[in-house]
């Protein structure tokens, strides 16, 4: 089969001294990367109109918040309980305003679509999207054991 690769480039994407999994995730530059990456991927998905959007991890899980039209998604959960979550404090409107500016989304959407259990979670938008548009289908786990673990929680 023919496979086409698309590359997205920006200074923020190239200046990543910490690699793909930077720490801590609360750093402004890290969150700016996630913001820019999700917006860029969403524009690419909108432009190309693929049959399906594969989200390999929480890094791209906010893409649905930026899409102009629904597209079927498949998400691969690696460690859903911890990845993509910022739970350092109880977050409210003040923190939502900060995330709103960083992610270029309205405060109301940040609060309703990314806040869970008092924290910010980048995986929540994708899971909610799959529930709303696909009846929850399309959420996969990296292994049978992890799938069973997720099902028990």
């Amino acid at each position: 089969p023919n496979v086409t690769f698309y590359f997205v480039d920006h200074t923020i994407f190239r200046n990543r001294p910490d690699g793909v999994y930077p720490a801590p995730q609360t750093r402004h530059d890290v969150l700016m990367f996630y913001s820019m990456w999700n917006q860029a991927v969403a524009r690419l998905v909108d432009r190309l109109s693929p049959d399906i959007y594969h989200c390999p991890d929480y890094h791209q899980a906010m893409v649905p918040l930026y899409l102009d039209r629904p597209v079927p998604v498949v998400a691969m959960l690696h460690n859903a309980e911890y990845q993509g979550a910022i739970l350092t404090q109880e977050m409210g409107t003040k923190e939502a305003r900060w995330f709103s500016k960083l992610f270029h989304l309205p405060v109301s959407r940040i609060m309703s679509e990314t806040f869970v259990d008092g924290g910010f979670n980048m995986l929540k938008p994708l899971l909610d999207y799959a529930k709303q548009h696909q009846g929850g289908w399309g959420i996969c786990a990296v292994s049978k054991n992890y799938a069973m673990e997720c099902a028990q929680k």
Side-chain angles (χ1 to χ4, degrees):
N2 292 330
V3 176
T4 303
F5 292 92
Y6 294 90
F7 295 90
V8 179
D9 188 31
H10 192 279
T11 307
I12 290 175
F13 303 152
R14 283 183 263 126
N15 295 332
R16 299 287 314 250
D18 297 339
V20 180
Y21 296 98
Q25 289 190 36
T26 53
R27 285 192 347 232
H28 185 270
D29 65 318
V30 172
L31 291 169
M32 179 61 74
F33 169 83
Y34 291 136
S35 173
M36 292 286 292
W37 182 251
N38 279 273
Q39 291 175 68
V41 170
R43 293 294 64 86
L44 196 58
V45 169
D46 280 337
R47 182 177 296 160
L48 299 174
S49 299
D51 294 330
I52 196 162
Y53 166 59
H54 174 243
C55 180
D57 208 345
Y58 73 95
H59 302 91
Q60 292 99 259
M62 289 183 66
V63 165
L65 297 178
Y66 301 100
L67 293 175
D68 290 335
R69 60 188 168 278
V71 62
V73 300
V74 171
M76 187 61 62
L77 300 182
H78 294 262
N79 190 353
E81 205 168 328
Y82 300 105
Q83 295 188 2
I86 298 174
L87 305 170
T88 56
Q89 65 189 55
E90 185 73 24
M91 296 188 189
T93 306
K94 177 183 173 189
E95 291 79 14
R97 280 195 292 270
W98 186 78
F99 283 111
S100 171
K101 289 177 185 171
L102 192 63
F103 283 90
H104 303 281
L105 292 164
V107 171
S108 60
R109 289 195 74 192
I110 291 291
M111 291 188 80
S112 66
E113 298 180 53
T114 67
F115 279 19
V116 62
D117 295 332
F120 177 80
N121 189 305
M122 289 186 282
L123 195 54
K124 183 181 185 302
L126 186 80
L127 299 177
D128 289 348
Y129 181 90
K131 287 180 196 173
Q132 179 184 356
H133 294 282
Q134 302 169 190
W137 292 98
I139 307 300
C140 305
V142 294
S143 70
K144 182 178 179 179
N145 287 343
Y146 186 59
M148 290 171 54
E149 182 183 330
C150 288
Q152 291 174 358
K153 293 179 182 180

